[in-house]
Amino acid sequence: MALELTPTIAIHLSAALAATVIGPLALWARQSHTQRPRLHRAFGYAWVTLMIVTALSALFIRSTTIVNIKGYTPIHLLIPVVFFALFGAFWYLAQRDIAGHRRVMRITYVVACLVAGSFTLLPNRYLGNLLWKQWLALA
């Protein structure tokens, strides 16, 4: 059964794409030559919210086209990873360990947005089929 763009997938996709765009802005606001703590905090909370929406919506997206357990595929393992990482990042903040917070947020962005996002573009995945076959007509 092929996936189609359901409301749940649309929410998941929108939140994931927005998080991928907003993440670097949150990181930049603290790393740039001129520190922008309010902008960092605003983009940071927006990014965290989008990541929570992305992870929660992923719970309702299932696939039987690849290896799965009751519709949950290996990429679903990122759901607890994201929640654990976000908890850890805020735990570091509560401990006033800014370096730990920064490290967890960077790693979470790379793994959850860039690496996982890249996997969604594989030809056998919904977005991959949409991009490579329908939009670019390459396959």
Side-chain angles (χ1 to χ4, degrees), residues 77-100:
L77 293 173
L78 280 175
I79 297 168
V81 168
V82 165
F83 283 119
F84 181 76
L86 294 178
F87 174 81
F90 282 100
W91 185 83
Y92 278 123
L93 274 182
Q95 302 300 313
R96 300 198 189 298
D97 183 351
I98 303 305

Side-chain angles (χ1 to χ4, degrees), residues 52-65:
I52 290 170
V53 169
T54 301
L56 287 175
S57 62
L59 286 170
F60 302 99
I61 301 171
R62 297 186 182 172
S63 174
T64 57
T65 59

Side-chain angles (χ1 to χ4, degrees), residues 3 7 21 33-34 46 62 74-75 85 89 97 100 114 117 131:
L3 290 176
V21 171
H33 188 65
T34 304
R62 297 186 182 172
I75 201 164
D97 183 351
L114 301 182
L131 175 67

Side-chain angles (χ1 to χ4, degrees), residues 24-134:
L25 298 173
L27 296 171
W28 165 82
R30 270 311 223 192
Q31 295 300 314
S32 63
H33 188 65
T34 304
Q35 296 284 308
R36 296 173 175 84
R38 287 185 187 159
L39 196 59
H40 170 74
R41 196 169 291 122
F43 281 128
Y45 279 120
W47 185 78
V48 167
T49 302
L50 290 165
M51 290 305 294
I52 290 170
V53 169
T54 301
L56 287 175
S57 62
L59 286 170
F60 302 99
I61 301 171
R62 297 186 182 172
S63 174
T64 57
T65 59
I66 61 175
V67 175
N68 71 86
I69 298 173
K70 296 192 179 199
Y72 292 110
T73 63
I75 201 164
H76 284 91
L77 293 173
L78 280 175
I79 297 168
V81 168
V82 165
F83 283 119
F84 181 76
L86 294 178
F87 174 81
F90 282 100
W91 185 83
Y92 278 123
L93 274 182
Q95 302 300 313
R96 300 198 189 298
D97 183 351
I98 303 305
H101 170 76
R102 181 182 303 124
R103 183 177 57 254
V104 169
M105 289 305 229
R106 283 181 179 166
I107 291 169
T108 304
Y109 176 78
V110 169
V111 170
C113 291
L114 301 182
V115 174
S118 297
F119 279 112
T120 65
L121 297 178
L122 291 173
N124 64 335
R125 307 270 308 173
Y126 175 76
L127 267 186
N129 285 331
L130 195 63
L131 175 67
W132 305 115
K133 292 181 181 174
Q134 292 184 19

